[in-house]
Amino acid sequence: DTEVTQTPKHLVMGMTNKKSLKCEQHMGHRAMYWYKQKAKKPPELMFVYSYEKLSINESVPSRFSPECPNSSLLNLHLHALQPEDSALYLCASSQATSGQGAGGANVLTFGAGSRLTVL
Amino acid sequence: KQEVTQIPAALSVPEGENLVLNCSFTDSAIYNLQWFRQDPGKGLTSLLLIQSSQREQTSGRLNASLDKSSGRSTLYIAASQPGDSATYLCAVGILTGGGNKLTFGTGTQLKVEL
């Protein structure tokens, strides 16, 4: 299995709702990522998990709360979002690294994304 | 802060043409560079990855080169086809936080016409 699966594909929510985006991979990757992509812009990194621990938070507002319950799953919990948070949210995974690198290619495999609209 | 720029921003070519997409980055301390393709409203498909110690990688009609010292990479597409129409993104990677942190370029939107 060489895929990253994201659900739901589309999500519409109000500013007071609580929802979650889910991401799953079965490639044995131990690094997982959340990226945010606004229309006609490049993806921007939000979070990195390595061996199920949060290692990078790119100063993301606390209304976005990531969670990595096991090595195959990555969630992004959403609460009290703003309309400007509407975007395509992309999950990715790769081999994890340690020290100067694992010697692998560290290719990131991306999911198809979850399109979020905040009303 | 790493900045990645792609030129041109958009490109329209007739089918069969060979073409070159350019990517430049400001900080040469990178671990790798990856080229992706993105269809409208979709996720990213990895095309090629070049490690910082390599000069080029090839896959089918695609060839990517890397000149780390000058902060440049090119993606060469041979004999373009309408199915190649998409946005092409380059991303430079550094190893940090136990992962490969990518900074993406601004993208080149390619249209290949019949």
Side-chain angles (χ1 to χ4, degrees):
Chain A
D1 189 349
T2 57
E3 286 188 344
V4 174
T5 302
Q6 290 188 243
T7 56
K9 289 189 180 344
H10 300 277
L11 178 63
V12 180
M13 60 186 292
M15 289 190 286
T16 58
N17 292 158
K18 286 185 180 181
K19 297 286 185 183
S20 297
L21 305 181
K22 298 185 183 301
C23 175
E24 186 170 7
Q25 56 88 16
H26 295 286
M27 294 178 280
H29 290 167
R30 302 303 293 277
M32 297 187 76
Y33 312 77
W34 280 114
Y35 280 82
K36 173 182 178 179
Q37 186 178 26
K38 302 280 282 183
K40 299 193 182 300
K41 296 290 187 182
E44 294 181 339
L45 181 67
M46 299 174 72
F47 303 104
V48 179
Y49 272 82
S50 177
Y51 294 96
E52 295 86 67
K53 294 194 185 307
L54 181 65
S55 58
I56 294 178
N57 176 343
E58 294 284 274
S59 302
V60 179
S62 59
R63 57 186 184 270
F64 295 92
S65 175
E67 177 197 22
C68 190
N70 61 55
S71 61
S72 300
L73 294 174
L74 183 67
N75 299 321
L76 186 62
H77 302 299
L78 313 170
H79 175 54
L81 294 192
Q82 303 297 312
E84 59 264 29
D85 296 322
S86 298
L88 181 67
Y89 288 84
L90 295 163
C91 173
S93 69
S94 76
Q95 294 177 10
T97 62
S98 58
Q100 293 304 308
N106 303 110
V107 173
L108 266 69
T109 301
F110 280 81
S114 291
R115 173 77 58 188
L116 173 67
T117 301
V118 182
L119 300 177
Chain B
K1 179 187 173 185
Q2 179 75 269
E3 292 186 4
V4 185
T5 304
Q6 292 184 243
I7 295 173
L11 183 61
S12 183
V13 300
E15 182 180 14
E17 269 204 11
N18 301 326
L19 52 99
V20 175
L21 308 181
N22 297 291
C23 172
S24 61
F25 47 95
T26 55
D27 186 347
S28 61
I30 67 170
Y31 182 67
N32 54 35
L33 185 145
Q34 199 166 350
W35 282 93
F36 293 90
R37 149 186 193 140
Q38 186 172 32
D39 293 288
K42 305 294 186 183
L44 306 179
T45 300
S46 179
L47 299 173
L48 290 165
L49 179 140
I50 311 177
Q51 298 282 36
S52 61
S53 58
Q54 297 174 324
R55 298 283 295 181
E56 66 177 327
Q57 283 286 339
T58 298
S59 176
R61 295 183 293 109
L62 305 179
N63 175 276
S65 67
L66 174 64
D67 184 342
K68 200 174 88 158
S69 61
S70 68
R72 297 184 185 206
S73 176
T74 61
L75 179 67
Y76 175 83
I77 303 177
S80 57
Q81 304 170 357
D84 294 331
S85 299
T87 295
Y88 290 80
L89 295 160
C90 71
V92 296
I94 59 170
L95 294 188
T96 183
N100 183 14
K101 178 181 173 181
L102 296 183
T103 301
F104 282 85
T106 46
T108 294
Q109 188 172 4
L110 173 65
K111 183 175 182 181
V112 181
E113 298 174 319
L114 290 169

